[in-house]
Amino acid sequence: MKRSITLLTLFLGLNLTIAQNLKPISYKDGEQKLNGLVTSNAGKKLPGVLILPAWKGIDNEAKNAATELQKQGYIAFVADIYGEGNIPADNAAAAKIAGSYKQNYKAYQQRISVALEELKKQGANPEKIAVIGYCFGGTGALETARAGFPVSGVVSIHGGLAKGNDRLNVPIKTKVLVEHPADDENVKPEDLTNLIAELKTGKTDFQIITYANSKHTFTSPESPDYNEVMAKRAWNHTLTFLKEILK
């Protein structure tokens, strides 16, 4: 009983810290209102990191990543891809809306572009910006690179790696880090093979790290797939990459 109370206290304390460090930001894509979160160091002309959340929208993993990135000296902005009134209530709804953006990738790229502009408005150095994404957001990180947006690098964390067969490979100029769980049932072996071929097209500076004994959402403490050891390694790999390209 005492252990349960201690863990609850730690959890509540962590969420309180996150709430104190993140400020709601409303912005728009056309007429669609979007509701993101920015770290409390906004406006300080620091390197910026755009965080693209998983398929249910802004979640605790994205919020925690933003808080931790602030500690490392970055302005972090958590994007709202779906927009107000469109946040999925369950997995089925999340699969439907995320799937629609994967199919209509230009709409996804547009939402990412708007979020990047908002990150700059929040004071991030426009010459030193990176994008990281989880799950559906990991797909978005790759879409950032495919779109040729002017960022220093992208990190795809257990993201979907495939793109439509009708899309041609184009040279990707930004640096790419892919953090891939070895036992991710959502990614086919040919998806990884095709991504490597895509990245080789433009002689992209890329690195793919595969994490053993890890299923899809291995980095999220709230997931049954959580692998604490591999999650810590992945986060350290993310920080090393960001330090290299932004500091």
Side-chain angles (χ1 to χ4, degrees):
M1 180 68 177
K2 184 181 291 185
R3 176 177 170 80
S4 296
I5 293 173
T6 302
L7 288 174
L8 178 61
T9 302
L10 288 172
F11 180 76
L12 292 174
L14 175 61
N15 280 314
L16 178 61
T17 300
I18 290 172
Q20 290 172 338
N21 284 328
L22 299 177
K23 180 175 70 171
I25 296 292
S26 292
Y27 61 113
K28 282 190 171 184
D29 179 13
E31 295 302 312
Q32 175 63 61
K33 183 180 178 183
L34 305 164
N35 298 304
L37 295 169
V38 71
T39 46
S40 60
N41 59 350
K44 294 187 177 180
K45 201 66 175 181
L46 296 167
V49 180
L50 177 65
I51 300 171
L52 303 177
W55 69 341
K56 283 190 175 179
I58 296 174
D59 56 14
N60 287 331
E61 184 166 31
K63 294 175 184 177
N64 186 58
T67 301
E68 291 301 313
L69 287 170
Q70 177 175 344
K71 294 176 184 177
Q72 300 296 322
Y74 304 108
I75 297 172
F77 182 71
V78 186
D80 175 8
I81 298 300
Y82 302 142
E84 187 169 280
N86 301 315
I87 306 304
D90 53 34
N91 286 350
K96 183 176 180 179
I97 191 167
S100 71
Y101 275 95
K102 286 181 181 179
Q103 187 152 9
N104 186 3
Y105 66 91
K106 289 187 177 180
Y108 196 4
Q109 291 174 346
Q110 169 63 15
R111 287 287 161 88
I112 294 168
S113 176
V114 170
L116 285 168
E117 289 306 310
E118 189 59 38
L119 174 57
K120 294 173 188 176
K121 289 179 184 177
Q122 295 302 318
N125 183 342
E127 302 299 319
K128 292 186 177 293
I129 288 179
V131 176
I132 72 171
Y134 297 88
C135 185
F136 169 63
T139 303
L142 292 175
E143 288 300 339
T144 302
R146 289 168 177 146
F149 293 148
V151 299
S152 299
V154 303
V155 184
S156 175
I157 306 166
H158 54 79
L161 308 182
K163 70 179 193 319
N165 293 329
D166 58 334
R167 296 174 64 184
L168 298 176
N169 290 339
V170 297
I172 290 175
K173 300 303 182 184
T174 192
K175 296 181 181 181
V176 175
L177 171 61
V178 175
E179 298 179 355
H180 175 61
D183 303 319
D184 191 342
E185 295 179 353
N186 296 314
V187 176
K188 300 175 183 177
E190 56 265 33
D191 295 340
L192 184 56
T193 299
N194 291 338
L195 177 65
I196 292 171
E198 179 182 5
L199 293 169
K200 284 183 174 181
T201 296
K203 298 183 179 179
T204 304
D205 179 341
F206 75 94
Q207 184 174 10
I208 297 174
I209 303 175
T210 302
Y211 298 88
N213 308 310
S214 297
K215 294 183 179 180
H216 179 54
T217 49
F218 77 106
T219 60
S220 174
E222 297 177 343
S223 168
D225 292 348
Y226 183 56
N227 183 323
E228 184 177 5
V229 172
M230 295 299 173
K232 287 180 178 178
R233 288 184 189 175
W235 184 245
N236 285 332
H237 291 148
T238 297
L239 293 182
T240 297
F241 180 74
L242 293 177
K243 183 178 180 180
E244 176 191 318
I245 65 175
L246 296 180
K247 293 294 183 72

